[in-house]
Amino acid sequence: MKLSPKRAENLSIAALILNLIFFFLALFFDKFSGARAVGLVGWIYLGGIPIWLALIIQFRQRRLANTEKFEAQEYQRLRKEGRGVSVFENDMESELMVQQRRLEWIEKWLIPSFAIIVAVYLIAISIWQWPIVNAVKLSQAGDMLLKTGMDLGKTIVAMAGMSIVSFLFACYTIGMSRQEEWRPLRSGGIFLIGGTLASIAVAAVLAATAFAIYNPLIITGKVIVAFIMLLGLEMALIVTMDFFRPRIKGQYQQAAFESRLLGLFSEPGGIFRTASHALDYQFGFKVSETWFYRLLEKYIVMLLLIQASVLYLSTCFFIVPTGNQAVCERWGAPINLSNPWEAGLHFKLPAPIDKVKCFPVSQIKTVDVGYERNEPKKDEAGNLIHDYTPVLWTKDHWKAEYPFLVPARKAGVAIGDKTVTNNLFDKLVVAVVFQYHINDIENYGYQPGSFIDPDKVINQLCERTVLHYCSQNDIEQILGPGRFQTAQMLKDNINKSLAQYNVGVNVDFVGIKSVHPPVKVAEAFEKVISALQQKQTKILLAHGFAHQVLNAAEAQASVAKAKANAYKLERQMLAEAESKKFASNVKAYEKGKNVYLLREYLSVLDQYMPNLRKYLIASDNVDDWVYEFDLKENIKPDMFGSLGIDTTEQQN
């Protein structure tokens, strides 16, 4: 019994409509949920539309070719009976095979052309979508799902429903393709299997997001894009190989868009047959006929189920790392908040009933505000290299810096009769390090209305605290002597903010790594600071010179005054001494007369002419003193000079 191509044609039309519906549903839920992986499923289903369109054309042409063949057979029957003879008999026989030749042309050229279109489409979609899914971060995935306010249940049900309908339709199509007349349907059914796998994966990872697990969602998006690229490359390779493959007339040729990779999922038993043939070839005997292989083939499903059960039951054990405390959640509700698990092995109900969340209560976490650290440098052995390069204002020393606005000074602007004072602001890079630890697990992770990412909230509170402090304090205070006070104030302010929001952490230390103007204006800032320092230096030098002059004047006045007092005292004492000396001289004169006068006379000569040789010649022939001065040079040596005798007293 010949099977009609009409049924396969109608099935292809239904599959094309179903792929269009799945495509638009996936795009709708992509916009509705914000999950990029949902939209990728739609693009896979859209890639199946050219395949089903090609199958519609092929089966329609087969139907026309069968009709033509039936008419040709009827014409041959009429000829044998002697009826239907026409003058155009030869022309009619040549025209009766037009649809068959057209079918051969479609299967030879049009079907590969559609395969090329699908391959180019898949490769282009993967290249277009890869940068988009690769740019999505872990925090962004959670933010997208929360921002859209999506109902996870609706999206999960939609994706699961698409996978079920697609799987059933694919199974029905592949089942029909076992008939030789409907063999081309296999390529469309296999491609539906690809959409089914993608839908199941997306539904599963969306279910995981209900437990705030976003990593699988991001990974699944990347895997789907890689899967689309792989299908496109496989299809392009098959099209290329078809040009060199020999064609046997009357034998069915697999369509170029029939994926061999997806065919493994449509017939899992084929994997075992392929494995057995490979083993037989490698070992040189029928390994597939041994009792062990037959036992393994018979109970492989049971073994896999047992292994899956053991893996599932292993979720009943949980090891809390050292320095952590853990809270067990049963259906999303914590059951041991008052007595969290300490480090060690603990038992719980299997997933997804119980889920354990760890909190590193002993870990000191760090928040950097105002800058980003440089990547650590390592040597060839992997050891960390410490950077001892001096930190200069005019050179970049961080990976990135984020300056704050700081009040600089006030300036008065005259408006009419009034003067309006405006605050002027400068940019200042304040690199601050906050170190904190978790002190309350309940507030940190389970307070009603608590934050999904408390660490992100802490970072924002730290940035806001630094911003508020910088906007309310003078630049000279922060840049100059107020660093210690700034750190203390920041610590107090951030702890108040954390207590206000009940975040459940406490800041233990706040350190200011550096405070300086931005690198671009640091040189100009240094010039201003240098000018201010030079100004202050000149002011201090002027004050020093003034003090020096005043002190010197005071010292000179004191010296002059002391000299005057000394001169006064000297004159008084000298006058008194002279008066006493005169009185004693009068007494001596009264007693010695000429002897006293002669003694005084000789003492005057001795006092005022100490180095002159003097001779006294006594004579009775003269009545007065006679002075004779010998001014000639003494040519003869002194008679006493060679003896080394001091004759000064003798000469005197």
Side-chain angles (χ1 to χ4, degrees), residues 27 122 171 317 435 614:
L27 287 187
L122 293 175
C171 291
F317 303 92
Q435 292 183 349
K614 296 175 281 293

Side-chain angles (χ1 to χ4, degrees), residues 8 12 51-52 54-56 58-59 62 103 107 111 173-174 176-190 252-255 257-258:
S12 300
I51 297 177
W52 292 111
L55 293 176
I56 292 172
Q58 184 179 10
F59 281 112
R62 281 192 175 189
L103 175 62
E107 291 181 347
I111 298 300
T173 305
I174 294 173
M176 288 183 62
S177 68
R178 292 191 177 94
Q179 303 296 330
E180 186 65 25
E181 290 80 358
W182 292 336
R183 181 66 178 79
L185 288 175
R186 176 179 169 81
S187 58
I190 287 177
Y252 174 76
Q253 301 291 335
Q254 280 185 308
F257 44 64
E258 182 177 332

Side-chain angles (χ1 to χ4, degrees), residues 174-249:
I174 294 173
M176 288 183 62
S177 68
R178 292 191 177 94
Q179 303 296 330
E180 186 65 25
E181 290 80 358
W182 292 336
R183 181 66 178 79
L185 288 175
R186 176 179 169 81
S187 58
I190 287 177
F191 202 86
L192 276 177
I193 292 292
T196 302
L197 295 175
S199 302
I200 293 174
V202 172
V205 297
L206 285 177
T209 58
F211 302 95
I213 302 175
Y214 304 118
N215 271 323
L217 181 61
I218 300 174
I219 296 173
T220 302
K222 297 179 180 180
V223 170
I224 292 177
V225 174
F227 176 67
I228 295 173
M229 172 62 79
L230 182 61
L231 289 180
L233 294 176
E234 180 198 19
M235 212 162 288
L237 180 62
I238 294 174
V239 171
T240 305
M241 294 176 63
D242 274 351
F243 285 106
F244 305 97
R245 185 173 57 183
R247 300 177 183 273
I248 302 175
K249 188 175 182 180

Side-chain angles (χ1 to χ4, degrees), residues 354-614:
D354 281 0
K355 175 186 174 183
V356 180
K357 188 180 292 185
C358 284
F359 298 91
V361 293
S362 300
Q363 179 182 355
I364 300 297
K365 298 186 177 181
T366 301
V367 177
D368 297 329
V369 177
Y371 74 106
E372 291 184 17
R373 299 174 185 262
N374 293 322
E375 297 295 334
K377 298 180 180 179
K378 297 183 179 180
D379 56 14
E380 297 179 353
N383 299 321
L384 186 64
I385 300 176
H386 297 283
D387 188 5
Y388 297 105
T389 305
V391 177
L392 302 177
W393 287 7
T394 54
K395 293 184 179 180
D396 293 327
H397 45 274
W398 304 116
K399 183 178 180 180
E401 295 179 344
Y402 308 102
F404 296 92
L405 287 178
V406 182
R409 57 188 181 278
K410 294 182 178 181
V413 179
I415 302 178
D417 297 335
K418 297 182 179 180
T419 301
V420 179
T421 302
N422 295 327
N423 290 327
L424 299 181
F425 292 86
D426 280 340
K427 288 185 177 180
L428 194 65
V429 176
V430 183
V432 186
V433 178
F434 294 85
Q435 292 183 349
Y436 67 93
H437 73 280
I438 302 172
N439 61 355
D440 192 334
I441 295 178
E442 183 175 359
N443 287 336
Y444 185 79
Y446 296 97
Q447 178 190 351
S450 60
F451 307 101
I452 291 180
D453 191 353
D455 293 332
K456 184 177 180 181
V457 176
I458 295 169
N459 292 359
Q460 294 175 351
L461 288 176
C462 292
E463 291 179 1
R464 190 185 70 172
T465 301
V466 177
L467 178 63
H468 285 183
Y469 184 85
C470 290
S471 63
Q472 297 173 0
N473 289 271
D474 188 74
I475 186 173
E476 295 182 358
Q477 180 70 12
I478 300 176
L479 189 59
R483 281 200 180 189
F484 179 77
Q485 292 80 0
T486 298
Q488 293 298 320
M489 290 294 295
L490 289 175
K491 180 180 178 181
D492 296 339
N493 293 341
I494 187 60
N495 280 325
K496 290 179 182 178
S497 298
L498 294 172
Q500 178 183 359
Y501 287 96
N502 294 324
V503 183
V505 302
N506 183 72
V507 174
D508 302 315
F509 172 77
V510 176
I512 300 179
K513 294 184 71 69
S514 65
V515 181
H516 58 83
V519 175
K520 294 182 179 179
V521 299
E523 186 174 355
F525 195 92
E526 286 183 344
K527 290 181 180 179
V528 175
I529 298 298
S530 177
L532 293 175
Q533 290 178 346
Q534 290 178 2
K535 174 185 174 182
Q536 187 68 19
T537 300
K538 290 181 179 180
I539 292 174
L540 294 177
L541 288 175
H543 284 299
F545 182 73
H547 287 296
Q548 180 181 359
V549 172
L550 291 176
N551 291 334
E554 291 179 0
Q556 291 177 0
S558 299
V559 170
K561 186 176 180 180
K563 286 183 177 181
N565 291 333
Y567 181 73
K568 174 184 177 182
L569 182 61
E570 180 184 0
R571 297 306 299 173
Q572 290 177 355
M573 298 295 292
L574 185 57
E576 183 178 354
E578 287 180 350
S579 63
K580 291 182 179 180
K581 181 180 179 182
F582 183 76
S584 61
N585 287 340
V586 171
K587 292 180 179 180
Y589 176 74
E590 290 178 350
K591 292 182 177 181
K593 299 295 181 179
N594 293 330
V595 176
Y596 172 76
L597 293 176
L598 180 59
R599 182 177 176 278
E600 288 296 323
Y601 176 77
L602 294 176
S603 63
V604 171
L605 294 177
D606 183 53
Q607 180 178 0
Y608 293 101
M609 292 183 294
N611 297 325
L612 295 178
R613 184 177 297 172
K614 296 175 281 293

Side-chain angles (χ1 to χ4, degrees), residues 232-371:
L233 294 176
E234 180 198 19
M235 212 162 288
L237 180 62
I238 294 174
V239 171
T240 305
M241 294 176 63
D242 274 351
F243 285 106
F244 305 97
R245 185 173 57 183
R247 300 177 183 273
I248 302 175
K249 188 175 182 180
Q251 183 179 356
Y252 174 76
Q253 301 291 335
Q254 280 185 308
F257 44 64
E258 182 177 332
S259 174
R260 280 60 166 174
L261 178 64
L262 292 176
L264 297 176
F265 296 94
S266 63
E267 293 185 4
I271 300 176
F272 293 102
R273 288 194 295 272
T274 303
S276 63
H277 293 326
L279 289 173
D280 293 344
Y281 176 77
Q282 291 293 331
F283 287 95
F285 63 94
K286 295 291 185 178
V287 178
S288 58
E289 296 180 0
T290 61
W291 67 270
F292 178 76
Y293 184 86
R294 292 184 179 276
L295 180 66
L296 183 63
E297 185 178 5
K298 183 178 181 179
Y299 294 103
I300 184 65
V301 177
M302 184 180 297
L303 292 175
L304 292 176
L305 290 176
I306 293 174
Q307 184 178 7
S309 301
V310 172
L311 290 175
Y312 179 71
L313 292 176
S314 66
T315 60
C316 296
F317 303 92
F318 189 85
I319 299 176
V320 180
T322 303
N324 287 252
Q325 291 182 349
V327 175
C328 182
E329 299 176 355
R330 183 159 298 165
W331 300 116
I335 61 175
N336 62 331
L337 266 180
S338 59
N339 187 22
W341 291 346
E342 299 294 337
L345 178 65
H346 299 272
F347 301 93
K348 66 180 186 67
L349 296 180
I353 301 174
D354 281 0
K355 175 186 174 183
V356 180
K357 188 180 292 185
C358 284
F359 298 91
V361 293
S362 300
Q363 179 182 355
I364 300 297
K365 298 186 177 181
T366 301
V367 177
D368 297 329
V369 177
Y371 74 106

